[in-house]
């Protein structure tokens, strides 16, 4: 089998010319307490932890060769066990995705799946017990190689553990779908494979890996390998018996799969196949892993191979990789950002306002920068409420064990509130306003801040749609004003639109980008144009939905028309989350700027005037049109079908993005995609709005050309 596997991987390696090759080093050691000679395989690509270890064909071939060696030693009785671990901070993070996206033939994709299975399953077939030591980050194939071992330990310091394939448009195809439910039960496996993946690729910590039963033992990070080897010796000597919970293969398994389908439906609405293919394999694994039949590995792995190959050759994976590269690579090198050497240090932050948004901002600056943060507002009661919010959130972090008591005390001491801006901002390096979205109010605030803040201080605005240049126009030093637009909830959404006003200088802009990096935000440079990027596109999108409803199309039809996109929520549910009043305000702002394309819906205005929080009520547990809202609606007699509605909405979005790029609102179409993925939850499986519009033919229909050059998004037409 080994020779066949080696030949298979040799052929596949020709398809991966730029693979970062992982070595599999074998060393021998004597286990503690006289347990015997042990072989330890260490995965290492020769770089530091910033370049995680991956598995391409040559890397798999190297692991295969290492197994050749230990297989012979095990058969000869020269060793009592085999372990596998990673370089410092990294176990392994799975397949080499930049190579996977180059595959052009279904047979080649099938070979990749088979190659991984053929290598990994050799670990479970060795004549001695095998151990995986999850010492650091483990994802995808990195998790799966450990699942093929007899036993697993995990470090308490492990920061990220996941099977993220469904998030990217694949299935865990090297044993994850087949083995994991038979190890920890179907329901827990569904949580790891489906729920976590579709929840923005949620990562597990070391303790959670142990609690789920994926790992049999957990040890501190400082001496993790040493303790794992001591434990290994105890297992091999029979002093420690590893007990695992019996797997329920009855109705509970079926219920778990059904729960997974419900999660997939609620997240992607059937628009992306990966989750459903994974669930099909999990469902089949119920019988393939039954105690009566024994685990039918070959059949289970063949199901994974076929699903993996089908998905590799589909558009969803290419879209997912494109989106992944945006948030992992482009996000770290913002287009148009000035040289970081121009940035000035920020040792104190001022926040104008003490409402919910201002308080969230204060908390974020406090946690990430750990510098003094001072809030101001128009009365002491508001200030006390804002500071109280920050203190309460710090207490929550303490209660969850995220910070210790000393740090909690230190953070609380760093946040204060004062009525007098002169007292609060006299030594501030960065002042951000989060007050009412009205130009006159913001201009007055900045005039007051400029009068008391140091000459070098950055004046930042969290405006969602107003002109940064106009806001700065009455100041003596408009060059230090910059847009710094966060998205709500501030702690969760990564996007930060950094807006350069007409007179913003490079030093101020560089400082803004430097702060954004410390805040761990995805910063995108935007031109000072109405509503910048996300709100402009969403407002055009929502506005067209509203227009269709106003003209006569039933609300249910208009909402259902968008379901094939697989968006995380429907347009009107999104409007409820944003707030109808805010949606109306932004549409009014854009209507003033572009009256030919942006309308102000009388029906939406009526909903806001009536004080309604949205179009729906949830008395039955799911959204239903509020009868009071239905009574307010004034509709025409033009009724569109779902397809007509969808075409109209997508045409409008394609037109708006085309105009934005022509205006230079952002550097390239990729920045539009990055903004919508990180600021509006645009699904990874669509790969961004522009490749989606390209694939669907909308871009060419509306603008006469695709947004992305052929091959840029690596998404088949």
């Amino acid at each position: 089998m080994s020779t066949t596997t080696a030949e298979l991987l040799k052929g596949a390696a020709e398809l991966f010319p730029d693979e970062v090759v992982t070595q599999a080093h074998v060393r021998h050691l004597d286990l503690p307490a006289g347990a015997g000679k042990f072989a330890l395989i260490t995965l290492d690509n020769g770089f530091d932890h910033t370049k995680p270890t991956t598995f391409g064909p040559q890397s798999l071939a190297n692991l295969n060769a290492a197994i050749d060696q230990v297989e012979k030693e095990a058969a000869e009785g020269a060793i009592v066990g085999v372990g596998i671990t990673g370089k410092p901070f990294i176990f392994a993070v799975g397949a080499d995705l930049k190579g996977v996206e180059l595959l052009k033939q279904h047979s080649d994709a099938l070979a990749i799946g088979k190659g991984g299975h053929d290598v990994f399953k050799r670990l479970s077939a060795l004549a001695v017990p095998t151990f995986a030591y999850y010492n650091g980050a483990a994802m995808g194939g990195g998790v799966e190689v450990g699942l093929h071992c007899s036993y697993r330990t995990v470090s308490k310091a492990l920061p990220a553990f996941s099977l993220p394939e469904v998030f990217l448009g694949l299935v865990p195809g090297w044993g994850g779908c087949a083995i994991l439910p038979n190890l920890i039960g179907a329901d827990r496996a569904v949580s790891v494979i489906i729920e976590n993946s579709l929840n923005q690729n949620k990562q597990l910590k070391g303790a959670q890996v142990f609690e789920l039963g994926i790992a049999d033992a957990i040890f501190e990070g400082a001496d993790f390998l040493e303790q794992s080897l001591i434990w290994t010796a105890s297992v091999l000597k029979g002093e420690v018996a590893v007990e695992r919970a019996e797997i329920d293969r009855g109705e509970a398994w079926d219920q778990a799969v059904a729960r997974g389908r419900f999660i997939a439906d609620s997240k992607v609405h059937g628009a992306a196949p990966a989750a459903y293919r994974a669930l099909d394999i999990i469902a089949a694994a119920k019988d393939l892993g039954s105690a009566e039949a024994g685990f039918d590995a070959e059949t289970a792995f063949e199901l994974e191979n076929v699903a993996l190959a089908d998905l590799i050759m589909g558009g969803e994976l290419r879209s997912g990789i494109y989106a992944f590269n945006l948030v992992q690579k482009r996000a770290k090198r913002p287009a148009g950002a000035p040289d970081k050497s121009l940035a000035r240090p920020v040792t104190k932050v001022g926040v104008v306002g003490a409402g919910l948004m201002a308080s969230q901002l204060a908390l974020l600056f406090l946690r990430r920068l750990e510098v003094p943060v001072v809030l101001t507002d128009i009365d002491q009661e508001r200030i006390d409420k804002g500071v109280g919010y920050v203190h309460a959130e710090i207490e929550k972090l303490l209660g969850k064990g995220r910070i210790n008591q000393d740090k909690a005390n230190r953070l609380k001491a760093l946040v204060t509130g004062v009525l007098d801006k002169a007292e609060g901002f006299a030594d501030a390096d960065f002042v951000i306003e989060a007050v009412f979205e009205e130009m006159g109010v913001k201009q007055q605030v900045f005039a007051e801040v400029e009068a008391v803040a140091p000459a070098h201080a950055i004046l930042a605005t969290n405006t969602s749609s107003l002109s940064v240049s106009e806001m700065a126009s009455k100041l003596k030093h408009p060059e230090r004003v910059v847009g710094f637009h966060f998205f709500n909830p501030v702690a969760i959404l990564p996007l930060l639109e950094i807006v350069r006003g007409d007179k913003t200088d490079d030093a101020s802009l560089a400082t803004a980008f430097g702060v954004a990096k410390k805040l761990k935000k995805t910063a995108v440079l935007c031109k000072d144009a109405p509503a910048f990027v996300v709100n402009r596109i969403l407002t055009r999108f929502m506005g067209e939905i509203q227009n269709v409803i106003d003209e006569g199309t039933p609300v249910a039809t208009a909402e259902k028309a968008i379901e094939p996109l697989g968006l995380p929520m429907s347009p009107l549910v999104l409007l409820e989350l944003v707030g109808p009043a805010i949606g109306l305000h932004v549409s009014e702002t854009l209507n003033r700027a572009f009256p030919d394309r942006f309308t102000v819906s009388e029906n939406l205005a009526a909903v806001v005037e009536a004080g309604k929080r949205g179009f729906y009520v949830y008395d039955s547990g799911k959204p239903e049109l509020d009868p009071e809202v239905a009574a307010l609606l004034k509709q025409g007699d033009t009724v569109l079908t779902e397809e007509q509605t969808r075409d109209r909405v997508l045409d409008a979005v394609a037109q708006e993005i085309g105009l934005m790029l022509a205006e230079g609102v952002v550097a390239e179409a990729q920045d539009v995609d990055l903004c919508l993925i990180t600021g509006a939850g645009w699904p990874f499986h669509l790969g961004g709005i522009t490749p989606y519009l390209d694939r669907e033919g909308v871009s060419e229909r509306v603008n006469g050309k695709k947004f992305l050059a052929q091959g840029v998004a690596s998404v088949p037409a």
Side-chain angles (χ1 to χ4, degrees), residues 459-512:
L459 306 185
T461 171
N462 187 45
T463 182
S464 60
S465 60
L466 299 178
S467 169
V468 174
S469 301
E470 184 180 350
M471 211 175 293
S473 63
K474 297 183 179 181
L475 298 179
K476 295 177 182 178
H477 297 285
E479 69 276 2
R480 57 177 173 157
V481 177
V482 62
F484 216 61
H485 179 219
F486 292 87
F487 289 79
N488 200 14
V490 170
I492 296 174
L493 290 177
L495 180 63
L496 180 55
E497 291 177 333
I498 295 185
V499 184
R500 182 169 203 158
D502 292 343
K503 296 186 178 180
T504 306
D505 62 22
D506 283 352
S508 298
L509 202 61
T511 303

Side-chain angles (χ1 to χ4, degrees), residues 1 39 41 43 55 63-64 66-68 70-71 74 81-85 91 116-132 141-152 301:
M1 186 194 301
I41 300 172
L43 304 171
F55 291 123
L63 177 57
N64 194 54
I67 296 174
D68 280 343
V70 298
E71 182 180 56
V82 175
I84 184 167
T85 191
F91 183 78
H117 275 132
D118 284 354
V119 174
F120 289 1
K121 69 185 182 184
R122 295 185 67 202
L123 289 167
S124 60
L126 291 177
V128 295
T130 51
F131 298 78
V143 169
E144 289 171 299
V145 69
L147 294 179
H148 285 266
C149 293
S150 313
Y151 306 97
R152 287 154 296 280
F301 294 165

